[in-house]
Amino acid sequence: MRLQLHTAADTHEFGRRLAAVLRAGDLVILTGPLGAGKTALTQGVGAGLGVEGRITSPTFVIARSHRAGAAGVPLVHVDAYRLETLDELDDLDLDTDVDAAVTVVEWGAGLAERLAESHLEIAIERRADETREAVLHGRGGDWAERLASLLGDEPSVGPDARVGAAA
Ligand SMILES: Nc1ncnc2c1ncn2[C@@H]1O[C@H](COP(=O)(O)OP(=O)(O)OP(=O)(O)O)[C@@H](O)[C@H]1O
Ligand SMILES: [Mg+2]
């Protein structure tokens, strides 16, 4: 599935809408070049979940946990850019958190998949005109149904069931 993200606000709003279909134990892996909008998307997810704390590009911190807000689900935000091996990811002790949290990993392709049996991959492509395109691939689990509901084309429930921003 492909989504056109014309502005930074679109990226944020997509994150908010995505949060509405996320739940504890989910793993979201973000890929895309430098400055693609991975952190901006994570900020939208954080806003949708209503988690505490400001979501930033972790410069010195590889992983940051954000306490649950209204939605009751915390967010673990990982920047795996500087990680080269699985051992380093182990050192972060992430396994203790992932069952109860939504985990979003920037640059996690090839490293983070084993953290959860199923996961959602989002590749953000940066266009020459500076707009972005998000390509979504649900791996395993019920991601296909959830993405269909997110994008509003679930035939059995109709357009009124289209998922908006999380409460
Ligand atoms: N759809 C969009 N159209 C135009 N600009 C966007 C879009 N989405 C995000 N941006 C902008 O792109 C810039 C980089 O975003 P961000 O820091 O989230 O990227 P990143 O992928 O996390 O970068 P890094 O690789 O350094 O972690 C920000 O200024 C953000 O506002
Ligand atoms: Mg970033």
Side-chain angles (χ1 to χ4, degrees):
M1 289 182 198
R2 289 176 175 267
L3 279 179
Q4 305 305 316
L5 305 170
H6 296 287
T7 66
D10 289 344
T11 302
H12 193 269
E13 180 57 20
F14 168 53
R16 283 179 59 94
R17 294 182 60 216
L18 176 63
V21 302
L22 296 178
R23 52 182 184 244
D26 280 347
L27 174 63
V28 180
I29 295 176
L30 304 181
T31 62
L34 277 169
K38 300 179 291 296
T39 300
L41 181 57
T42 310
Q43 286 166 343
V45 170
L49 293 174
V51 297
E52 292 181 12
R54 212 159 62 88
I55 292 166
T56 57
S57 257
T59 307
F60 301 108
V61 188
I62 288 167
R64 192 173 275 137
S65 290
H66 295 269
R67 274 201 221 113
V73 186
L75 175 70
V76 177
H77 179 203
V78 183
D79 192 328
Y81 185 58
R82 283 168 227 81
L83 293 185
E84 277 169 15
T85 69
L86 283 174
D87 293 347
E88 291 174 84
L89 203 50
D90 268 340
D91 291 342
L92 299 177
D93 245 346
L94 284 177
D95 292 14
T96 53
D97 276 323
V98 289
D99 288 343
V102 164
T103 301
V104 176
V105 185
E106 297 189 34
W107 300 102
L111 285 176
E113 287 86 351
R114 67 184 187 92
L115 289 173
E117 275 170 37
S118 78
H119 60 271
L120 175 63
E121 281 173 27
I122 303 176
I124 306 177
E125 294 167 7
R126 194 171 174 165
R127 295 276 187 74
D129 64 2
E130 278 301 317
T131 67
R132 311 291 197 268
E133 188 170 83
V135 184
L136 283 68
H137 285 290
R139 309 287 187 195
D142 59 354
W143 285 110
E145 289 89 332
R146 287 202 264 169
L147 293 180
S149 118
L150 172 70
L151 301 177
D153 58 359
E154 178 68 66
S156 57
V157 290
D160 289 341
R162 190 185 190 106
V163 177

